[in-house]
Amino acid sequence: MRLSREAVEALDREDPLAPFRERFALPEGVVYLDGNSLGALPRITAAAVAGVVTEQWGGDLIRSWNSHDWIRLPQRVAAGIATIVGAAPHEVAVCDSTSVNLFKLLSAALELRPGRRVILSERGNFPTDLYVAQGLARLLKGRIELRLVDGPEEIAAALDDSVAVLMLTHVDYRTGRMHDMAGLTAAAHAAGALALWDLAHSAGAVPLDLAGCSADLAVGCGYKYLNGGPGAPAFLFVAERHQEVARQPLAGWMGHARPFAFDWHYEPAPGIDRFLAGTPPILSLAALAKGVALMAEADMAALRRKSLAMGELLIALFEERLAGHGFELASPREAERRGSQVSLAHEHGYPVMQALIARSVIGDFRAPDLLRFGFAPLYNRHMDVWRAVETLEAVMREESWKDPRFAERAAVT
Amino acid sequence: MRLSREAVEALDREDPLAPFRERFALPEGVVYLDGNSLGALPRITAAAVAGVVTEQWGGDLIRSWNSHDWIRLPQRVAAGIATIVGAAPHEVAVCDSTSVNLFKLLSAALELRPGRRVILSERGNFPTDLYVAQGLARLLKGRIELRLVDGPEEIAAALDDSVAVLMLTHVDYRTGRMHDMAGLTAAAHAAGALALWDLAHSAGAVPLDLAGCSADLAVGCGYKYLNGGPGAPAFLFVAERHQEVARQPLAGWMGHARPFAFDWHYEPAPGIDRFLAGTPPILSLAALAKGVALMAEADMAALRRKSLAMGELLIALFEERLAGHGFELASPREAERRGSQVSLAHEHGYPVMQALIARSVIGDFRAPDLLRFGFAPLYNRHMDVWRAVETLEAVMREESWKDPRFAERAAVT
């Protein structure tokens, strides 16, 4: 039986998360399925940022570090993120970019596992994660090495006693495939290694329980499912049991035990604060604070149910409507193995996605051939999925993607 | 002859930079002499940031990376900073914090001078700079060492053939003492070392000519004299002649030759872009763009003349009015050896500064005993100096600083 539009509309009427949509400023007529790349703008954020600019910076000037507690803003945002990722507030720090934080944690991992020289990862890990490991290995001139395997099934065999840390991205940015965090963390531990998780496509997208999985280290992104704004500060997690020994090399004053004593000698702050480096970008951080607070209000189990329902709906509609147009499902077919996205592979993926965007259905493209559709259950509706597939079908049927302007690559794909 | 209020008012009437003041949103009745710590808010910035939040992020969402050219925003801001520091646009990158950028450049310096193991600096350098060097040395386990001297007169003797890089802060954060950039850079070069300058208290404060001094490397701050907003992104400079060989270890995707190819192997971008790491905080960067553009409009020679006139005025008024109250001039007496601040030492510096701030004259305090007064000639008036000294005199005469509430240390001093 064909899925009917009425049935999909009914799903939206019955959606317990539906009221959240009104709390985002979404452009009229746009179907936005790219929250996995840049989350939407929470309505409250514009006024909050304006207040920080005009009243706090403009009016109170330098005094705002105390009067508006800018100095503890990173810790306040971290407490919100901690609830979302299943950690204690004092295990999370908000700072820098994901790349920079990964550099800190890989350095810390090597220090926590002296004598072990291997960073183990997958060849298909998010490229920046591999770049950061390569950058560290190059700096350390052969003291460490990056070992890559082709997939999760090879990890167990590669986990020997030279491995200091298993570094994986929980949800794959291309396919949405989700790793078994508890199982792989246990495998790392059994080999005496640490587990470091990149939560870029997980935090705010799927339920997380870092504590329950006994994860050691993690990094994550503020501008995707946490709706923190473009280039929002990132976060990192260090399990409490490692904090006393773990050190990181980006020794800036915000990570000092007494930043305002202006001692010449570095002494790391006790606890998670030693993972801070320089002065945080307060405007961007203030925006992130609002995105995180909004996400922290949501029931992650309800969010997961809706996310999976949207994924199943997209796949069902895809199978029903897009057969014969050259697409292949690039995401795992089993819902529980996916994060909050569904990807389709197509030989002409780039122009097809551009044609879709030209009709106000926004997903994105990832080389070499993937169309990605991300689900942000706080603001996406089931009808967004309906419209996406309906529009994609029209693009293919009318062959509008063959318009030469859709073949031109933009600076950012 | 006593300096008269009328004479000072006349200086403001004749000030060619006076029209700039109207372009800042300064609170009524406040004398702000702390632009060396956090610059004031340019009026244009509030609307610009609001536009980025509401129209760009909210309205165009992910498309803004292309449609609003977010992807080249760091390079556009860098071009503005280049004109302020005397460099070519392709020698400056805007990214991360000063601390993180310093880590990159110290790593690059060691690579540019293989076989040399010493980072030479002053014990009185800005503490974070020393912390970052210590963090790098700790990570590299004895491959490098931080060598400290007590003052500039000891630098020449310490510059032996083990020194890879001379790392100095151009203008001292406590006293405002300004180093001879050309002379010390030449001394470093004569010993085969590189010169790395921290411009935190120089960029936008004093005329700079990195190219003319043949400086090799530099870092600087966006939130002080460049008026970029709290925690604004920082910048770095790498002379063109070093860019082909220089590498840095924070290998994020923004520094890759082809960030959107998603290759697993890191290949540094040609030129200065290889010094970028992760995704930049766009909201904070958009604010910095406005501060930099405004500063780039000013004639740096006129700015220096006014800055020195304000410093001379403060010292003259200090000598005339504050004798017998226990202050000492902590800045160099010769104008050309100072940056854009004057510092006074006082045994009870902390409560004295709090009492001053309570009367709306905002400078700041630095341990152990310094009251700092920074001059930002784009928005400060000569009358600000008059009012600062007049108020300080009243605080001392009335002993209002003895109020116990002024002794309580805030989180941020």
Side-chain angles (χ1 to χ4, degrees):
Chain A
M1 194 187 79
R2 266 177 89 88
L3 276 157
S4 73
R5 182 184 178 109
E6 290 66 32
V8 176
E9 286 172 339
L11 290 174
D12 283 327
R13 278 196 305 274
E14 293 151 17
D15 172 15
L17 296 174
F20 276 102
R21 182 177 169 91
E22 279 309 304
R23 298 173 68 184
F24 288 85
L26 290 158
E28 204 61 43
V30 168
V31 168
Y32 192 62
L33 296 174
D34 205 17
N36 49 312
S37 193
L38 175 64
L41 169 65
R43 282 192 194 280
I44 197 172
T45 301
V49 172
V52 172
V53 172
T54 305
E55 282 133 52
Q56 298 185 11
W57 172 17
D60 281 4
L61 291 154
I62 191 70
R63 295 169 292 190
S64 290
W65 283 101
N66 289 313
S67 63
H68 297 287
D69 200 27
W70 286 350
I71 193 68
R72 300 291 297 174
L73 183 54
Q75 288 82 357
R76 284 183 280 135
V77 181
I81 291 177
T83 68
I84 295 166
V85 300
H90 62 273
E91 293 178 313
V92 177
V94 173
C95 46
D96 300 307
S97 67
T98 311
S99 305
V100 169
N101 288 336
L102 195 55
F103 187 89
K104 296 176 192 167
L105 295 196
L106 286 176
S107 303
L110 296 170
E111 187 135 3
L112 287 164
R113 287 293 176 271
R116 291 179 171 233
R117 58 189 307 273
V118 172
I119 296 170
L120 177 61
S121 192
E122 287 184 279
R123 194 172 302 272
N125 196 349
F126 188 67
T128 284
D129 295 28
L130 302 180
Y131 301 161
V132 171
Q134 290 165 46
L136 181 62
R138 190 169 187 283
L139 179 68
L140 296 182
K141 288 190 175 172
R143 246 173 64 202
I144 64 161
E145 107 192 36
L146 174 63
R147 180 184 295 171
L148 297 177
V149 295
D150 282 328
E153 60 289 349
E154 296 179 17
I155 287 172
L159 269 169
D160 60 30
D161 64 9
S162 67
V163 177
V165 58
L166 172 62
M167 169 181 82
L168 293 171
T169 295
H170 182 224
V171 173
D172 187 281
Y173 75 105
R174 291 154 311 185
T175 64
R177 178 211 60 196
M178 185 161 62
H179 275 310
D180 169 11
M181 186 186 288
L184 287 165
T185 298
H189 289 176
L194 300 171
L196 191 170
W197 292 97
D198 181 338
L199 306 177
H201 292 84
S202 311
V206 298
L208 289 168
D209 184 8
L210 289 173
C213 294
S214 295
D216 301 288
L217 305 163
V219 295
C221 176
Y223 55 79
K224 296 176 186 286
Y225 294 97
L226 296 180
N227 307 307
F235 67 90
L236 60 82
F237 159 88
V238 178
E240 185 179 11
R241 63 186 177 278
H242 296 308
Q243 290 181 5
E244 208 176 323
V245 175
R247 292 278 296 261
Q248 60 91 7
L250 298 172
W253 70 324
M254 288 290 159
H256 196 281
R258 293 171 305 281
F260 295 94
F262 294 93
D263 292 335
W264 73 271
H265 182 75
Y266 185 71
E267 181 191 330
I272 195 73
D273 285 355
R274 64 178 58 186
F275 287 88
L276 303 176
T279 309
I282 295 293
L283 308 188
S284 287
L285 192 54
L288 175 61
K290 293 303 174 190
V292 166
L294 186 50
M295 178 60 68
E297 283 184 40
D299 171 16
M300 286 304 297
L303 191 135
R304 177 66 171 161
R305 277 193 297 276
K306 181 173 173 185
S307 162
L308 290 183
M310 293 179 74
E312 291 298 294
L313 178 62
L314 192 144
I315 293 171
L317 290 169
F318 156 74
E319 290 174 342
E320 190 178 290
R321 306 254 190 124
L322 291 167
H325 284 299
F327 292 98
E328 264 184 64
L329 178 66
S331 296
R333 185 60 193 84
E334 303 153 74
E336 64 273 20
R337 290 185 53 227
R338 288 196 309 268
S340 197
Q341 74 179 67
V342 167
S343 300
L344 304 177
H346 192 281
E347 187 189 353
H348 302 291
Y350 186 79
V352 168
M353 181 51 80
Q354 303 319 304
L356 203 54
I357 293 170
R359 295 191 188 198
S360 296
V361 173
I362 303 179
D364 66 18
F365 171 80
R366 280 294 173 264
D369 63 355
L370 292 179
L371 297 93
R372 300 194 304 180
F373 300 95
F375 312 116
L378 289 194
Y379 53 81
N380 283 137
R381 296 172 299 203
H382 300 81
M383 273 304 292
D384 290 342
V385 174
W386 175 274
R387 274 195 53 201
V389 176
E390 185 178 55
T391 309
L392 186 53
E393 187 188 7
V395 161
M396 300 314 294
R397 194 179 57 236
E398 298 165 16
E399 300 190 339
S400 67
W401 62 270
K402 291 185 176 171
D403 185 325
R405 74 191 156 108
F406 295 137
E408 286 163 28
R409 296 283 173 124
V412 176
T413 63
Chain B
M1 192 186 80
R2 264 176 88 89
L3 274 157
S4 73
R5 182 184 177 110
E6 289 67 31
V8 176
E9 286 171 339
L11 291 174
D12 283 327
R13 276 196 305 275
E14 294 152 16
D15 172 15
L17 295 175
F20 276 102
R21 181 176 170 91
E22 279 308 304
R23 298 174 66 184
F24 289 84
L26 290 158
E28 203 61 43
V30 167
V31 169
Y32 193 62
L33 296 174
D34 204 17
N36 49 312
S37 193
L38 174 64
L41 169 65
R43 283 191 196 279
I44 198 172
T45 301
V49 172
V52 171
V53 171
T54 303
E55 282 133 51
Q56 298 186 12
W57 171 17
D60 282 4
L61 291 154
I62 190 70
R63 295 169 292 190
S64 291
W65 283 101
N66 289 311
S67 63
H68 297 287
D69 200 27
W70 286 350
I71 193 67
R72 300 291 297 173
L73 183 54
Q75 288 81 359
R76 285 183 280 135
V77 180
I81 291 176
T83 67
I84 295 166
V85 300
H90 62 273
E91 293 179 312
V92 176
V94 173
C95 47
D96 300 307
S97 66
T98 311
S99 305
V100 168
N101 288 335
L102 195 56
F103 187 89
K104 295 175 191 168
L105 294 195
L106 286 176
S107 304
L110 296 170
E111 187 135 4
L112 286 164
R113 287 295 177 268
R116 291 178 171 234
R117 57 188 308 274
V118 172
I119 297 170
L120 177 62
S121 192
E122 286 184 279
R123 194 172 301 275
N125 196 350
F126 188 66
T128 283
D129 296 28
L130 302 180
Y131 301 161
V132 170
Q134 291 166 45
L136 181 61
R138 190 168 187 283
L139 179 68
L140 296 182
K141 288 190 174 171
R143 247 173 64 203
I144 64 163
E145 111 193 31
L146 174 62
R147 180 184 294 170
L148 297 177
V149 296
D150 282 327
E153 61 289 349
E154 296 179 16
I155 288 172
L159 269 169
D160 60 32
D161 64 10
S162 67
V163 177
V165 58
L166 173 62
M167 169 181 82
L168 294 172
T169 295
H170 182 225
V171 173
D172 186 282
Y173 75 106
R174 291 155 309 186
T175 63
R177 178 211 60 195
M178 185 161 61
H179 275 309
D180 169 11
M181 186 185 289
L184 287 165
T185 298
H189 289 176
L194 301 170
L196 190 170
W197 291 98
D198 182 339
L199 307 177
H201 292 84
S202 309
V206 299
L208 289 168
D209 184 7
L210 289 173
C213 293
S214 294
D216 301 286
L217 305 164
V219 295
C221 177
Y223 55 79
K224 296 178 185 287
Y225 294 97
L226 297 180
N227 307 308
F235 67 90
L236 59 82
F237 158 87
V238 179
E240 184 178 12
R241 64 185 177 280
H242 296 308
Q243 290 181 5
E244 208 176 323
V245 175
R247 292 277 297 262
Q248 60 92 4
L250 298 172
W253 72 322
M254 288 290 160
H256 195 280
R258 294 171 306 281
F260 295 95
F262 293 94
D263 292 334
W264 73 270
H265 183 73
Y266 185 72
E267 183 190 328
I272 195 74
D273 285 355
R274 65 178 57 185
F275 287 89
L276 303 177
T279 309
I282 295 294
L283 308 188
S284 287
L285 191 54
L288 176 61
K290 293 302 173 190
V292 166
L294 186 49
M295 179 60 70
E297 284 184 40
D299 171 14
M300 287 303 298
L303 191 136
R304 177 67 173 161
R305 278 193 298 276
K306 181 173 172 186
S307 162
L308 290 182
M310 293 179 74
E312 291 298 294
L313 179 62
L314 192 144
I315 293 171
L317 290 169
F318 156 75
E319 290 173 342
E320 190 179 291
R321 306 258 189 121
L322 290 166
H325 285 298
F327 292 98
E328 263 185 64
L329 179 65
S331 297
R333 185 61 193 84
E334 303 153 76
E336 65 274 19
R337 291 185 54 229
R338 287 197 308 268
S340 197
Q341 73 178 68
V342 166
S343 301
L344 304 177
H346 192 281
E347 187 189 353
H348 302 291
Y350 186 80
V352 168
M353 180 53 78
Q354 303 319 304
L356 203 54
I357 292 170
R359 295 190 187 198
S360 297
V361 173
I362 302 179
D364 65 17
F365 171 80
R366 281 294 174 264
D369 62 356
L370 292 179
L371 296 93
R372 301 195 303 179
F373 300 95
F375 312 117
L378 290 194
Y379 53 81
N380 283 137
R381 297 173 297 204
H382 300 82
M383 273 305 292
D384 290 342
V385 174
W386 176 274
R387 272 196 53 203
V389 177
E390 184 178 55
T391 309
L392 186 54
E393 186 188 10
V395 161
M396 301 314 294
R397 193 180 57 239
E398 299 165 15
E399 300 191 339
S400 67
W401 62 270
K402 291 185 176 170
D403 185 323
R405 75 193 156 108
F406 295 137
E408 284 163 29
R409 295 284 172 123
V412 177
T413 61

